[in-house]
Structures are given as C-alpha cells and as structure tokens.
C-alpha cells in the first residue's frame, strides 16, 4: 500500500505544534522518546524525526515526500519545493539588529559592516535588493552574542518577542523576512501519493478553519432578529429557532476570530442576550 513519508522536526520550536496538528487531523501514532521513525495506525503516513535544517534536503532527495519546516529555513535552503499549506504556527521574523547604543537611521548603516547570521542567503538577497555591500559572517547558532564578543557589528537573526535581542543589548532595526511553519512537498509527486496528500490537506484545512472560527449562540427578541442577522456573518446565514418564551428566538452562527470582539459589541447593542461562544473542533467547507 502506498504511504506518505513526512519529515518533522525531532525536537525544537516546531515539533510540538507539528505533532499537535497531525493529532488534530485524527491521525494516531506512537512516538516514543528518541524514536527516529513512527507509523500512523489509521492513515497511510510514516513520520521521520529530523533536524529542521535537513528537512528541505530530505524532501528534495525523495527520502521524505513531505515536510513541516519554517519558511525561513525553506527559503534559505532555496530548494525547488512546493508550499502546500501555510500552517499558522511558529510565526517569527528574520531581522537585522544592532547594539542598543548605536544611532541607527536607515539601512545604509550596514554599508561596509560585518553582519553575523545563520541565514546568509536570505540576508544577501535582502542586501542586494537594497544595494548595500556588507560582509556576511555565517555562524550556526548563538548569533546574538556576536557583537558583544567583537565578531560582528550587527546580526541578522530570528525574532519573535525580541526579548533575546534585548537581553543581549541589541535592538531590532529592520525586518527582512516573515515566517511561519509550512507544509512542503516535492513538485513532482506521483499521483497515488498526491491523492493521500490531498486527503491530508483537506483535514488540515478543516482543523485550521475551525481554529479561526467560533460557534456563537444568542437570544434575541423577535423584532430584533433582522438587525442581528445583518451583524452575524455565518457560513450561509444564521439558524433561527423559536425559544419557549413567546416573542424570543435563538440564533446560531459561526464567527471569525478576527471580527469577533467588534461583532459582539454590535450584537449587544442590537439587543442580543445570553451570548455563548464555543470552540469548533472541525470545520468542513
Ligand atoms: P534543530 O535542532 O532541529 O536544527 P533549531 O535550533 O535550528 O532546531 P528551533 O530553534 O527549534 O531550530 O526553531 C525552528 C524553527 O522555529 C525556526 O526555523 C523558525 O521558523 C521557528 N522559530 C524560531 N524561533 C522562534 C520563536 N522564538 N518563536 C516562534 N518561532 C520560532
Ligand atoms: Mg536547525
């Protein structure tokens, strides 16, 4: 039977969320501590647990059919791979930073300077676009200490909250790339594998959609129902059910997380009462 092999990070910032997503897709597997391979019991997929840097290469070589990796690593390794799905976790940015005490005005600051990074290709591309000549010093980790030990005048590193930079006496001055975890595959996947991949993507979509949406229930006097329907977006239109109490209805709908607070206020103002908001486990569109 055809199976897909998916490469996921063995341990690090992507691992937990990658495995959580797979579990939320209803795929069951055992991954004992330290195992390098595991097989799902209820879906034709096998897992390879690897260092994230190696994942694009393994997918390109066909050792794995799919991978979950940060877009920053994918683009840095610049393999001709497809992004099948943006996964919405491990969001971070690749940024240039300089010592806090520096008087930074614009990108020309870096002309002729030394910059330490683990992302030489992404950085070079950015500097070329800006027409800046700088010396890129490639190091594989602990980039943020480079200015403190005199190795470089600036750094280009992954940032999420900025606290690591701050603790090392640096300030973020330019964002050069925005990243999140992505599902990747080789563009030339045989049809039988592609079929399984499509099933996996369908499940991932339903999980991601459900995360961005909430189920909302509320009560309203009948004469306010029209107005409230205007405020509630819904997948089609809200369900309206009569309440036992004469003259009142219950409305059910789905609301997007982004517009949630704004709509809730409008609903209250329009006369909605007893508003309940509940998570959705899966959402098939
Ligand atoms: P490995 O041992 O597998 O090589 P690593 O140390 O290179 O791991 P991690 O620090 O686990 O990598 O980061 C993996 C990916 O998670 C990064 O490439 C990036 O996409 C994302 N990431 C890194 N730092 C953060 C952060 N602070 N917040 C969110 N996502 C991050
Ligand atoms: Mg790595």
């Amino acid at each position: 039977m055809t199976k897909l092999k998916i490469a996921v990070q063995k341990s690090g910032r992507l691992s937990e969320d990658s495995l959580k997503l797979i579990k939320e897709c209803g795929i069951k597997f055992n991954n004992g501590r330290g195992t390098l391979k595991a097989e799902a019991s209820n879906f034709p997929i096998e897992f390879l647990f690897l260092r994230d840097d190696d994942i694009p290469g393994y997918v390109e070589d066909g050792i794995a059919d799919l991978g979950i990796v940060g877009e920053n690593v994918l683009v840095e390794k610049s393999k001709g791979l497809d992004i099948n799905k943006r996964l919405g976790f491990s969001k971070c940015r690749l940024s240039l930073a300089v010592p806090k005490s520096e008087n930074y005005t614009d990108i020309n600051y870096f002309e002729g300077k030394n910059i330490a990074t683990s992302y030489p290709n992404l950085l070079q591309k950015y500097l070329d676009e800006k027409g800046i000549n700088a010396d890129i010093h490639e190091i594989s980790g602990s980039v943020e200490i480079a200015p403190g030990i005199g190795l470089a005048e600036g750094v280009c590193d992954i940032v999420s909250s900025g606290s690591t930079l701050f603790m090392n006496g640096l300030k973020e001055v330019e964002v050069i790339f925005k990243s999140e975890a992505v599902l990747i595959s080789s563009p030339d996947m045989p049809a039988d594998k592609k079929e399984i991949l499509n099933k996996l993507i369908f499940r991932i979509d339903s999980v991601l959609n459900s995360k961005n949406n909430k189920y909302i229930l509320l009560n309203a006097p009948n004469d306010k129902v029209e107005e409230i329907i205007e405020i509630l977006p819904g997948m089609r239109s809200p369900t309206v059910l009569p309440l036992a109490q004469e003259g009142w209805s219950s409305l059910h709908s789905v609301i997007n997380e982004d517009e949630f607070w704004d709509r809730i206020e409008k609903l209250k103002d329009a006369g909605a009462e007893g508003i309940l908001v509940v998570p959705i486990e899966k959402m098939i569109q």
Side-chain angles (χ1 to χ4, degrees), residues 57-78:
Y58 278 107
V59 176
E60 199 192 36
D61 296 344
I63 309 286
D65 303 299
L66 297 175
I68 296 180
V69 75
E71 203 181 349
N72 51 318
V73 169
L74 175 71
V75 175
E76 176 62 26
K77 308 275 170 191
S78 66

Side-chain angles (χ1 to χ4, degrees), residues 2-285:
T2 309
K3 275 191 184 151
L4 283 184
K5 286 201 191 106
I6 182 166
V8 294
Q9 191 190 24
K10 184 167 158 36
S11 82
R13 287 197 156 99
L14 292 159
S15 326
E16 200 180 307
D17 285 339
S18 304
L19 297 183
K20 187 162 148 253
L21 175 65
I22 286 162
K23 285 189 178 140
E24 285 169 338
C25 288
I27 297 172
K28 297 200 170 105
F29 61 96
N30 281 322
N31 69 317
R33 264 178 149 261
T35 48
L36 299 178
K37 261 175 92 170
E39 203 167 318
S41 57
N42 60 353
F43 195 83
I45 199 162
E46 232 175 76
F47 303 90
L48 304 177
F49 300 106
L50 302 166
R51 292 227 20 213
D52 72 338
D53 315 62
D54 298 332
I55 292 176
Y58 278 107
V59 176
E60 199 192 36
D61 296 344
I63 309 286
D65 303 299
L66 297 175
I68 296 180
V69 75
E71 203 181 349
N72 51 318
V73 169
L74 175 71
V75 175
E76 176 62 26
K77 308 275 170 191
S78 66
K79 310 274 179 188
L81 299 173
D82 284 349
I83 293 184
N84 298 105
K85 196 87 224 159
R86 316 187 81 80
L87 301 174
F89 58 83
S90 297
K91 285 195 176 169
C92 57
R93 52 196 189 271
L94 187 63
S95 292
L96 283 162
V98 298
K100 273 181 227 162
S101 55
E102 288 296 301
N103 179 21
Y104 182 88
T105 48
D106 60 41
I107 187 73
N108 292 311
Y109 172 93
F110 289 102
E111 183 67 37
K113 296 258 189 343
N114 247 307
I115 311 172
T117 189
S118 305
Y119 296 89
N121 294 325
L122 271 164
L123 176 57
Q124 187 65 62
K125 188 164 165 278
Y126 181 83
L127 294 174
D128 288 348
E129 278 165 16
K130 300 284 176 191
I132 303 291
N133 282 305
D135 275 335
I136 298 178
H137 195 104
E138 184 179 353
I139 50 178
S140 62
S142 304
V143 171
E144 61 284 349
I145 64 163
I149 58 174
L151 186 67
E153 290 149 300
V155 302
C156 174
D157 202 9
I158 295 292
V159 183
S160 63
S161 68
S163 60
T164 309
L165 289 180
F166 188 80
M167 280 186 314
N168 285 282
L170 301 172
K171 61 180 177 189
E172 184 178 6
V173 292
E174 304 284 344
V175 175
I176 78 161
F177 189 78
K178 288 195 175 146
S179 179
E180 67 186 285
V182 289
L183 179 72
I184 57 169
S185 71
S186 156
D188 34 279
M189 185 179 268
D192 52 347
K193 290 193 171 175
K194 189 95 191 172
E195 206 176 304
I196 309 173
L197 171 61
N198 287 339
K199 285 187 184 163
L200 178 66
I201 291 176
F202 179 82
R203 291 191 188 197
I204 292 177
D205 277 337
S206 82
V207 172
L208 296 182
N209 284 336
S210 72
K211 282 195 208 299
N212 290 332
N213 289 281
K214 301 274 180 254
Y215 193 76
I216 178 166
L217 305 93
L218 57 89
N219 297 332
N222 288 348
D223 61 344
K224 300 283 185 187
V225 167
E226 285 295 312
E227 193 183 335
I228 288 178
I229 288 177
E230 290 296 311
I231 305 168
L232 281 176
M235 286 169 86
R236 279 188 195 279
S237 73
T239 308
V240 184
L241 301 166
L243 284 187
Q245 187 181 346
E246 188 90 8
W248 281 73
S249 296
S250 166
L251 281 81
H252 300 197
S253 191
V254 171
I255 192 164
N256 190 284
E257 186 97 78
D258 298 333
E259 44 192 13
F260 180 75
W261 290 110
D262 185 44
R263 301 276 170 141
I264 293 288
E265 274 170 24
K266 291 195 175 116
L267 289 169
K268 282 190 70 173
D269 292 345
E273 288 181 13
I275 304 174
L276 286 182
V277 179
V278 287
I280 298 171
E281 192 181 296
K282 302 279 189 300
M283 188 163 148
I284 319 289
Q285 279 182 323

